[in-house]
C-alpha cells in the first residue's frame, strides 16, 4: 500500500528554522516526484514546488523560491521541506504528494500544520 | 506563470443536481489538467487526471472535459458526500498552478 506519512504539527517563533518530513512507503521512492503544497488558514491550495528523489533536482514556484528548501534522503525514503528563518506568514498546513507522470498527485500525506508566532 | 481561473467560487446545490465547475487557463495547457476534491480537515483527493481520465475508485458520476484553455468538471448527480471544495491543477509547465477553488454547499 502506497503511503506518505508526514511529521507532526510544529509551533515555532519568527526567525526560527524548521524542517518537516514526508516518508514514503509501499513504492519505489526514487521513481516518483514529490510535490509540496501549502494551504494557509481558510485559503486555497498553492503549489510550492517539486523534487525528483532520483537526483534531488528541484523546481520551485517563484512565490517560494529562496524561502524554502526541498531535499530528500533516499536511504530512508523521506522528503523534507525546510525553512531557515520562519515568518508568521508561513503559518499554514503543508502537504506532500506523490506525482505520477501523466496522472497527477494520486497520493497525499496527511498534512503538517506549522504555526509561527511573532 | 499560467493562471488558472476557476468558476464559480462557490455554489449551492441539492442532492441529485447536476453540477458544473469550470477552469480557464491563461494559455494553452494541452490536456494537462487534474481535478481534486478536498473536504474540511482532509488532504486533497485526485478525481480526474489528464482532463478526462477517472482516477481509480472515483465514482463515475464525476467526469471531466475540455482542452487547450477551457476545462470542465461535472458531477452528474450530486450526492451528500460530494459537498466539498474542488480545485483544478495544471501540470503543463512550471510552476504548476491551482485554480482558486469552488466550494460546493448544500442548498
Amino acid at each position: 500500500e502506497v503511503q506518505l506519512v508526514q511529521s507532526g504539527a510544529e509551533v515555532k517563533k519568527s526567525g526560527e528554522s524548521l524542517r518537516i518530513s514526508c516518508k514514503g512507503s509501499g513504492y519505489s521512492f526514487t521513481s516518483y516526484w514529490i510535490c509540496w503544497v501549502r494551504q494557509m488558514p481558510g485559503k486555497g491550495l498553492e503549489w510550492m514546488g517539486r523534487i525528483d528523489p532520483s537526483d534531488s533536482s528541484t523546481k520551485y514556484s517563484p512565490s517560494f523560491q529562496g524561502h524554502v528548501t526541498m531535499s530528500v534522503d533516499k536511504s530512508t525514503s523521506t522528503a523534507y521541506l525546510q525553512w531557515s528563518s520562519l515568518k508568521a506568514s508561513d503559518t499554514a498546513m503543508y502537504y506532500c504528494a506523490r506525482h505520477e507522470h501523466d496522472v497527477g498527485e494520486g497520493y497525499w500525506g496527511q498534512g503538517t500544520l506549522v504555526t509561527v508566532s511573532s | 506563470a499560467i493562471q488558472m481561473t476557476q468558476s464559480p467560487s462557490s455554489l449551492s446545490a441539492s442532492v441529485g443536481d447536476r453540477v458544473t465547475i469550470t477552469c480557464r487557463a491563461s494559455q494553452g495547457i494541452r490536456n494537462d489538467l487534474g481535478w481534486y476534491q478536498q473536504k474540511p480537515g482532509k488532504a486533497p483527493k485526485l478525481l480526474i487526471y489528464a482532463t478526462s481520465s477517472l482516477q481509480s475508485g472515483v465514482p463515475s458520476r464525476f467526469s471531466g472535459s475540455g482542452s487547450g484553455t477551457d476545462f470542465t468538471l461535472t458531477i452528474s448527480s450530486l450526492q451528500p458526500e460530494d459537498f466539498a471544495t474542488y480545485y483544478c491543477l495544471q501540470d503543463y509547465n512550471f510552476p504548476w498552478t491551482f485554480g482558486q477553488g469552488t466550494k460546493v454547499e448544500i442548498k
Side-chain angles (χ1 to χ4, degrees):
Chain A
E1 178 194 8
V2 174
Q3 282 193 305
L4 295 174
V5 178
Q6 296 186 232
S7 48
E10 301 275 1
V11 179
K12 293 287 190 178
K13 295 186 189 306
S14 290
E16 291 186 332
S17 62
L18 174 65
R19 189 176 76 167
I20 63 175
S21 67
C22 169
K23 183 174 175 61
S25 63
Y27 72 100
S28 173
F29 184 70
T30 55
S31 297
Y32 300 87
W33 297 347
I34 293 289
C35 297
W36 289 93
V37 173
R38 183 176 79 174
Q39 188 165 40
M40 298 177 77
K43 302 298 184 182
L45 303 174
E46 299 175 89
W47 187 83
M48 300 176 69
R50 68 87 175 143
I51 185 164
D52 182 345
S54 68
D55 62 4
S56 293
S57 63
T58 53
K59 288 283 189 184
Y60 294 97
S61 167
S63 300
F64 296 93
Q65 178 91 45
H67 189 55
V68 298
T69 302
M70 298 176 191
S71 61
V72 296
D73 181 343
K74 289 189 285 188
S75 69
T76 60
S77 299
T78 302
Y80 297 98
L81 181 67
Q82 67 183 64
W83 296 257
S84 59
S85 181
L86 286 160
K87 304 175 184 177
S89 57
D90 293 318
T91 294
M93 181 71 82
Y94 293 87
Y95 294 101
C96 64
R98 189 189 86 163
H99 176 78
E100 183 173 350
H101 184 60
D102 286 340
V103 175
E105 284 62 32
Y107 293 93
W108 293 69
Q110 81 276 20
T112 295
L113 180 63
V114 174
T115 304
V116 183
S117 62
S118 52
Chain B
I2 296 174
Q3 295 198 19
M4 302 301 296
T5 303
Q6 192 172 335
S7 62
S9 56
S10 65
L11 65 90
S12 294
S14 301
V15 172
D17 284 353
R18 182 181 183 88
V19 168
T20 300
I21 299 167
T22 64
C23 256
R24 172 164 287 176
S26 59
Q27 66 183 71
I29 58 170
R30 298 185 310 191
N31 72 334
D32 295 337
L33 183 109
W35 289 97
Y36 296 80
Q37 176 194 65
Q38 188 181 33
K39 296 181 178 179
K42 299 294 187 182
K45 173 186 174 183
L46 177 64
L47 300 176
I48 301 283
Y49 63 92
T51 295
S52 59
S53 296
L54 195 66
Q55 174 71 343
S56 176
V58 174
S60 59
R61 62 181 179 273
F62 291 93
S63 65
S65 63
S67 67
T69 60
D70 294 312
F71 301 87
T72 299
L73 172 70
T74 299
I75 310 172
S76 60
S77 177
L78 198 66
Q79 297 302 301
E81 59 268 31
D82 301 336
F83 292 95
T85 302
Y86 295 84
Y87 296 91
C88 61
L89 170 66
Q90 70 82 15
D91 58 3
Y92 174 68
N93 66 14
F94 294 114
W96 298 348
T97 42
F98 285 98
Q100 308 97 306
T102 295
K103 187 173 184 178
V104 177
E105 298 176 300
I106 301 172
K107 195 173 202 176

